[in-house]
DNA sequence: GCGTTACATATTTTT
DNA sequence: TATGTAACGC
């Protein structure tokens, strides 16, 4: 090991535990760090970079560090600056997408777009899919744009080109055609989508050995955060970038992989071990966040997932308080319980608002909480939900600006060509597209020509007089903005000019409160534009595309935080409430039929549990309203896995209604030592069910819903799934092991 | 071309 | 329940 100790008066790593230290000072080659929650993962990454620079003499220029979020990137840069001072400027540290965008802009001459390409966000992607469906004369009822987009996204994340999409049925063939058309539309617009950033980067490096060599030689060390969330494209990218020096240092935790639906594949951790058998593997198991009770509960839950590296987290913080399990009568009572409990806590310690977090599976669950907070007069902070950049007015303004930068951007053009309404309707729009296609230009270019040349434009006669005039007006406006931009009009001035010429304020401000809000959002965006005075329009647009709302949240408000379990990843709070612990919500009903999805729900719960430093509240409601109507629900199956002695039960009487609880302790005892991986989802303590007990047309009685008739029943995951029509509540799908149905 | 009403639809959302 | 989209009439 290298020791440049002459410069260091004492052991510079004395503040690290042995595993952390081993990771930070690991030698060359591939290194896999499996870091449990709260084990100091970010610290290890930043200390590792500092170590490379300070102790091994690696130039910052030769280091690439990638994260998933801008927030994580910012945090690492901040810590590095503290450790190293100004030396950090040369190193590349950013999100996967930002890093790829950077590479693609530099290497655009190898690619089918120019370096001023725009980046399409999720909304744009869906709009693009709709366009593709329309162009292909496909029914968007039959082929849902969202589903098509997901299929395309999946393909791209797995580096599958349209021609390579496997076609097992007609639907797949449709997907291929939509994917092809979608890709054409993107390139016509000189655009890439989020997934393309990764896919094009991989193709660039794969197809051009010289380019690959240049980057691979440059990056002596590649470091990756949240490795469990990588998709195939990202995995390949890392491989390509480290083909020369082979120094790939990845940090992650399979148990915290919660973005499967975005293409993330935690099995990349396993693949990494297979691809690099010589890789060093280091487990970080000391937790600096939670009490032992919290960790034990979390372990009891996560140990039931298969295909993972077993870990046993420990803490020096002591046993701590029991976990409080509360069952409310309904969802209103659930919210009231949470708010009351927080209020009591605040009475004791009024400054502790920021200690609390309330986590839930779906955003819809925040509504009742908000109402309860409002009623009690307590302030709160809501994460996510209404997204600034998703706001109509914000998207409109961005679309105008994107057109200035890139008139070929068809999605933006379609968005704002008639905003505010200026008499350009469907008919005119179709004519414009037709004229553009005939002239082999983009609609935006035709529009600009109309704007510049008016009735002398060769395209003028393609439209009815009124349509042509309207288009020319808008074209002239856009053309004027482009000239101003070329003449280096500062960004805020351009922004104002767009606002005034489109008469946007009058369009937005209708005297309503909502209108005032919208105008305020516009002002907010203008403020941001002001910050980009120096860097200019292109940098502004890139930032808008690659920075999420989560990054713009006001930090450090000393109030309880309301957020989804997904949004909670990476955060920690003294007191954590996880609400909605009911079958159908957590785990979500959408994951019922897929064991992989179910395992992910379990990880999601695990992430929530491990956010708590001191006190954990698990809350459920026996009855809750979904879309208007009220339904009864069973307790979440995950609750059964937490042993009784870690819990303190409150609310409605449990034990009589919930015999499964009693078995949890035994199960925990029997699996805790041999916690090892085998335990599969659905492996209950009772004997596995192999034959269905219920048959169609049988009459059954349920303790809550009364009598009903069995429609269907099948064995699944060693349990029985029964579909029943109840006289009281209609159709229900039940797990036989939980529902305690009685055959009449 | 635009505004109204009926109707379907409904997780999570790092970039 | 609430929201966004599609069809309809002006």
């Amino acid at each position: 090991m290298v020791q440049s100790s002459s410069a260091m008066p004492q052991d510079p790593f004395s503040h690290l535990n042995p595993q952390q230290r081993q990771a930070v000072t690991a030698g060359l080659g591939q290194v896999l760090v499996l870091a449990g929650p709260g084990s100091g993962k970010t610290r290890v990454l930043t200390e590792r970079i500092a170590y490379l620079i300070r102790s091994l003499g690696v130039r910052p220029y030769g280091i690439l560090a990638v994260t998933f979020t801008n927030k994580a990137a910012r945090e690492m840069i901040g810590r590095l600056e503290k450790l190293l001072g100004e030396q950090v400027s040369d190193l590349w540290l950013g999100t996967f997408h930002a890093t790829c965008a950077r590479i693609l802009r530099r290497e655009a001459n190898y690619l089918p777009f120019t370096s001023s390409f725009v980046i399409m966000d999720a909304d744009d992607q869906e709009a693009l899919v709709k366009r593709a469906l329309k162009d292909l004369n496909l029914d968007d009822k039959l082929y849902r744009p969202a589903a098509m987009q997901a299929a395309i996204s999946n393909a791209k994340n797995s580096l599958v080109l349209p021609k390579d999409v496997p076609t097992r049925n007609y639907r797949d063939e449709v997907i291929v055609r939509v994917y092809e058309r979608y890709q054409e539309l993107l390139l016509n617009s000189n655009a890439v989508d989020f997934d393309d950033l990764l896919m094009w980067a991989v193709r660039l490096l794969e197809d051009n050995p010289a380019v690959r060599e240049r980057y691979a030689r440059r990056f002596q060390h590649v470091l990756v955060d949240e490795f469990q969330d990588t998709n195939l494209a990202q995995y390949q990218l890392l491989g390509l970038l480290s083909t020369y020096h082979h120094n790939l240092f990845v940090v992650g935790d399979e148990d915290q992989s919660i973005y499967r639906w975005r293409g993330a594949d935690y099995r990349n951790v396993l693949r990494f071990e297979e691809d690099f058998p010589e890789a060093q593997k280091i487990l970080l198991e000391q937790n600096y966040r939670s009490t032992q009770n919290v960790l034990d509960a979390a372990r009891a839950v996560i140990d039931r997932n298969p295909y993972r590296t077993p870990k046993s987290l420990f803490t020096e913080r002591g046993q701590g308080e029991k976990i409080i399990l509360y069952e409310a009568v309904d969802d209103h009572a659930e919210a009231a319980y949470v708010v009351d409990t927080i209020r009591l806590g605040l009475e004791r310690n009024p400054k502790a608002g920021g200690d609390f977090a309330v986590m839930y599976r779906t955003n819809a669950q925040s509504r009742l909480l908000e109402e309860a907070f409002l009623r009690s007069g307590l302030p709160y902070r809501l994460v996510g939900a209404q997204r600034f950049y998703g706001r109509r007015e914000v998207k409109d303004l961005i679309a105008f600006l994107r057109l200035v930068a890139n008139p070929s951007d068809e999605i933006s053009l379609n968005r704002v060509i008639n905003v505010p309404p200026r008499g350009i309707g469907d008919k005119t729009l179709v004519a414009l597209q037709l004229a553009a296609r005939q002239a082999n230009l983009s609609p935006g270019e035709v529009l600009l020509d109309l704007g510049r040349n008016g009735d002398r434009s060769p395209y003028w006669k393609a439209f009815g007089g009124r349509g042509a005039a309207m288009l020319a007006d808008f074209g002239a406006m856009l053309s004027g903005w482009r000239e101003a931009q070329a003449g280096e009009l500062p960004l805020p001035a351009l922004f104002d000019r767009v606002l005034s010429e489109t008469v946007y304020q009058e369009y937005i401000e209708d005297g309503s409160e909502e209108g005032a809000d919208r105008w305020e959002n516009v002002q907010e965006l203008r403020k941001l534009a002001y910050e980009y005075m120096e860097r200019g329009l292109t940098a502004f647009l890139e930032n808008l595309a690659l920075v999420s709302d989560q990054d713009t949240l006001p930090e450090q408000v000393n109030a309880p935080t309301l957020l989804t379990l997904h949004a909670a990843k990476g955060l920690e709070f003294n007191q954590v409430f996880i609400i909605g612990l009911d079958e159908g919500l957590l785990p979500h009903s959408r994951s019922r039929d897929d064991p992989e999805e179910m395992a992910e729900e379990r990880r999601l719960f695990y992430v929530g549990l491990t956010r708590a430093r001191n006190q954990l509240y698990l809350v459920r409601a026996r009855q809750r309203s979904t879309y208007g109507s009220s339904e009864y629900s069973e307790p979440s199956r995950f609750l059964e896995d937490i042993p009784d002695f870690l819990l303190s039960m409150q609310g409605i009487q449990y034990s009589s209604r919930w015999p499964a609880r009693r078995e949890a302790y035994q199960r925990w005892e029997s699996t805790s030592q041999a916690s090892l991986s085998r335990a599969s989802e659905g492996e209950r303590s009772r004997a596995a069910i192999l034959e269905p007990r219920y048959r169609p047309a049988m009459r059954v009685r349920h303790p809550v819903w009364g009598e009903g008739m069995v429609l269907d029943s099948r064995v699944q995951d060693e349990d029985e799934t029964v579909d029943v029509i109840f006289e009281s509540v209609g159709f229900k799908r039940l797990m036989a092991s939980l529902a305690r149905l009685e055959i009449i």
Side-chain angles (χ1 to χ4, degrees):
Chain A
M1 198 183 82
V2 181
Q3 276 286 42
S4 58
S5 50
S6 54
M8 310 270 167
Q10 81 224 40
D11 181 359
F13 304 114
S14 56
H15 57 296
L16 300 176
N17 70 35
Q19 289 74 33
Q20 290 177 331
R21 184 192 176 121
Q22 194 192 346
V24 167
T25 61
L28 301 180
Q30 290 87 5
V31 182
L32 170 64
V33 180
L34 292 178
S39 63
K41 157 180 82 83
T42 310
R43 164 175 246 178
V44 162
L45 267 172
T46 47
E47 296 271 357
R48 167 78 177 176
I49 293 172
Y51 168 79
L52 292 173
I53 294 171
R54 271 198 314 227
S55 302
L56 298 193
V58 178
R59 286 185 306 161
Y61 175 85
I63 296 176
L64 169 69
V66 277
T67 63
F68 274 85
T69 66
N70 293 295
K71 198 172 146 201
R74 259 203 317 273
E75 191 179 328
M76 278 178 63
I77 288 173
R79 291 206 202 182
L80 279 176
E81 278 172 352
K82 259 191 212 137
L83 284 170
L84 295 166
E86 289 307 298
Q87 291 181 57
V88 294
S89 54
D90 274 359
L91 80 83
W92 274 27
L93 194 164
T95 63
F96 270 103
H97 292 83
T99 303
C100 288
R102 196 167 171 183
I103 293 175
L104 296 183
R105 288 204 200 279
R106 291 157 69 116
E107 312 298 338
N109 46 340
Y110 295 91
L111 296 162
F113 41 79
T114 74
S115 67
S116 58
F117 64 83
V118 293
I119 300 165
M120 297 285 181
D121 70 14
D123 289 342
D124 301 330
Q125 289 181 46
E126 197 167 317
L128 221 38
V129 169
K130 281 185 186 159
R131 257 311 293 280
L133 288 169
K134 209 169 178 183
D135 289 356
L136 296 170
N137 266 319
L138 290 162
D139 182 358
D140 62 0
K141 286 273 186 350
L142 218 54
Y143 305 102
R144 290 270 183 59
M148 293 287 118
Q149 199 266 310
I152 293 171
S153 191
N154 278 338
K156 289 184 175 182
N157 287 331
S158 315
L159 301 168
V160 173
L161 298 175
K163 65 176 170 54
D164 299 325
V165 172
T167 50
R168 317 197 73 88
N169 52 41
Y170 180 69
R171 192 182 175 77
D172 292 340
E173 285 168 33
V174 170
I175 290 170
V176 170
R177 281 158 61 204
V178 175
Y179 184 3
E180 272 170 347
R181 180 68 191 139
Y182 174 91
Q183 217 53 10
E184 274 171 29
L185 289 170
L186 274 175
L187 292 182
N188 289 346
S189 292
N190 194 32
V192 303
D193 65 20
F194 280 138
D195 306 312
D196 277 339
L197 288 170
L198 304 167
M199 195 179 73
W200 284 120
V202 170
R203 288 178 62 187
L204 170 78
L205 298 178
E206 271 179 349
D207 298 348
N208 303 281
V211 180
R212 174 172 71 236
E213 177 102 347
R214 195 144 34 83
Y215 285 94
R217 271 175 184 267
R218 167 175 177 165
F219 296 124
Q220 285 178 60
H221 289 270
V222 177
L223 301 95
V224 189
D225 190 17
E226 305 280 18
F227 182 67
Q228 78 282 354
D229 285 336
T230 49
N231 57 36
L232 186 70
Q234 286 158 333
Y235 186 86
Q236 299 281 58
L237 182 78
L238 295 171
L240 289 163
L241 287 173
S242 61
T243 40
Y244 190 85
H245 296 286
H246 304 289
N247 296 321
L248 183 54
F249 184 94
V250 305
V251 181
D253 180 4
E254 308 119 296
D255 296 335
Q256 295 186 68
S257 172
I258 54 173
Y259 287 100
R260 198 179 103 93
W261 45 279
R262 307 282 258 108
D265 188 353
Y266 67 93
R267 281 168 303 191
N268 280 340
V269 172
L270 307 176
R271 190 172 301 153
F272 186 89
E273 292 182 80
E274 280 166 24
D275 287 355
F276 309 112
E278 283 101 74
Q280 299 170 72
K281 183 173 172 181
I282 299 163
L283 258 61
L284 302 185
E285 295 180 304
Q286 179 164 5
N287 174 288
Y288 294 92
R289 177 184 299 153
S290 309
T291 64
Q292 195 63 48
N293 276 349
V294 169
L295 295 182
D296 285 349
R299 199 195 68 197
V301 168
I302 201 65
D303 270 356
R304 296 176 66 75
N305 263 358
Y307 316 119
R308 51 184 289 274
T309 312
K311 298 168 208 72
S312 51
L313 294 179
F314 67 97
T315 180
E316 290 174 355
R317 293 203 47 216
Q319 210 62 39
E321 300 294 320
K322 284 201 173 181
I323 293 160
I324 292 173
L325 179 53
Y326 185 89
E327 186 176 47
V329 250
D330 61 16
D331 43 3
H332 289 271
E334 177 184 62
Y337 168 74
V338 170
V339 174
D340 283 347
T341 310
I342 291 176
R343 202 187 49 223
L344 283 172
L346 288 177
E347 275 169 19
R348 234 172 299 144
N349 182 2
K351 287 184 292 188
D355 282 5
F356 298 93
V358 190
M359 300 171 188
Y360 36 79
R361 177 68 240 261
T362 68
N363 275 312
Q365 290 172 264
S366 71
R367 223 193 72 228
L368 287 175
L369 283 168
E370 284 192 81
E371 286 170 13
F373 270 103
L374 252 22
R375 251 197 312 278
S376 75
L378 289 179
Y380 63 91
R381 184 171 78 109
L382 182 72
V383 174
Q386 75 319 3
R387 314 134 53 105
F388 179 71
Y389 294 117
R391 295 305 221 325
R392 195 182 73 204
E393 60 279 12
V394 174
K395 295 221 71 170
D396 285 349
L397 265 306
I398 293 172
F400 285 125
L401 294 175
R402 282 199 350 194
L403 278 179
V404 174
N406 175 19
S408 296
D409 180 345
E410 255 191 272
I411 294 297
S412 294
L413 182 67
N414 287 340
R415 177 176 188 95
V416 293
I417 194 167
N418 200 33
V419 173
R422 55 173 69 85
I424 302 174
D426 273 350
K427 236 179 81 195
T428 314
L429 206 52
V430 169
L432 176 64
Q433 274 152 8
L434 192 71
R437 200 175 281 201
Q438 278 167 358
N440 204 17
L441 291 173
S442 68
E445 288 165 321
V446 172
L447 185 78
L448 281 176
D449 193 74
L450 282 166
R452 279 190 297 262
N453 302 319
D455 57 8
R456 300 193 326 277
S457 164
Y459 311 110
W460 180 269
K461 47 195 182 311
F463 306 95
R466 210 171 96 88
M470 298 294 176
L471 285 174
D473 278 355
F474 185 62
M477 199 151 72
L478 180 59
S479 168
W481 299 338
R482 280 177 57 76
E483 276 164 31
Q485 158 70 9
E488 307 202 343
L489 183 72
L491 184 54
L494 176 68
F495 193 96
D496 289 340
R497 189 164 157 189
V498 170
L499 277 181
S500 71
E501 289 185 15
T502 54
V503 218
Y504 201 79
Q505 183 172 7
E506 286 78 349
Y507 166 65
I508 279 301
E509 277 204 305
D510 52 2
S512 72
E513 197 178 323
E514 200 197 347
D517 274 355
R518 289 189 184 285
W519 181 242
E520 222 170 276
N521 288 329
V522 172
Q523 295 301 306
E524 201 56 40
L525 188 65
R526 191 193 178 281
K527 249 194 258 169
L528 197 65
Y530 203 84
E531 287 175 31
Y532 279 80
M533 177 97 91
E534 302 300 320
R535 280 168 287 176
L537 180 61
T538 315
F540 181 61
L541 292 176
E542 170 129 347
N543 185 263
L544 289 176
L546 293 179
V547 166
S548 78
D549 303 294
Q550 307 266 333
D551 295 304
T552 51
L553 278 170
E555 287 290 325
Q556 276 103 29
V557 184
N558 191 28
T561 304
L562 276 45
L563 74 181
T564 63
L565 288 161
H566 283 93
K569 192 166 92 167
L571 305 178
E572 60 177 35
F573 300 88
N574 277 334
Q575 309 215 31
V576 168
F577 294 80
I578 301 177
I579 68 163
L581 280 160
D582 302 303
E583 281 296 298
L585 247 190
L586 184 61
H588 197 275
S589 50
R590 289 281 250 256
S591 17
R592 183 174 356 217
D593 301 328
D594 180 346
E596 282 289 342
E597 293 272 299
M598 188 54 78
E600 176 139 320
E601 295 290 304
R602 193 177 278 282
R603 293 193 291 268
L604 191 54
F605 183 42
Y606 175 75
V607 165
L609 291 169
T610 53
R611 300 308 93 195
R613 272 198 285 255
N614 300 322
Q615 182 68 61
L616 194 49
Y617 297 86
L618 305 178
V619 192
R620 72 167 294 254
R622 198 181 276 182
Q623 192 178 9
R624 72 175 65 240
S625 48
T626 40
Y627 315 131
S629 67
S630 188
E631 296 201 2
Y632 286 93
S633 57
E634 301 290 326
S636 167
R637 65 188 71 185
F638 301 149
L639 290 174
E640 290 175 22
D641 299 322
I642 302 176
D644 264 348
F645 68 86
L646 295 174
L647 298 171
S648 157
M649 307 211 195
Q650 296 183 5
I652 299 177
Q653 301 295 320
Y654 266 98
S655 37
S656 61
R657 297 199 68 254
W658 200 357
R661 283 241 46 78
R662 263 178 264 125
E663 295 158 23
Y665 175 74
Q666 295 168 351
R667 201 164 43 236
W668 191 80
E669 275 254 289
S670 63
T671 56
S672 62
Q673 269 321 317
S675 60
L676 317 175
S677 61
R678 277 305 95 152
S680 75
E681 191 61 45
E683 176 186 308
R684 307 265 142 164
S685 57
R686 68 201 93 227
I689 297 171
L690 298 171
E691 286 286 328
R693 277 213 305 143
Y694 303 90
R695 309 207 177 268
M698 249 178 199
R699 290 200 63 80
V700 291
R701 181 179 294 120
H702 183 273
V704 176
W705 298 315
E707 287 187 23
M709 189 181 73
V710 175
L711 286 182
D712 186 25
S713 181
R714 61 198 172 278
V715 171
Q716 196 169 41
D717 294 332
E718 302 181 342
D719 197 346
E720 192 175 349
T721 304
V722 196
D723 292 348
V724 184
I725 290 268
F726 287 102
E727 273 141 30
S728 58
V729 289
F731 178 83
K732 290 280 164 194
R733 179 165 291 172
L734 307 162
M735 300 298 270
S737 64
L738 295 170
R740 281 172 293 120
L741 284 176
E742 187 191 333
I743 298 170
I744 308 172

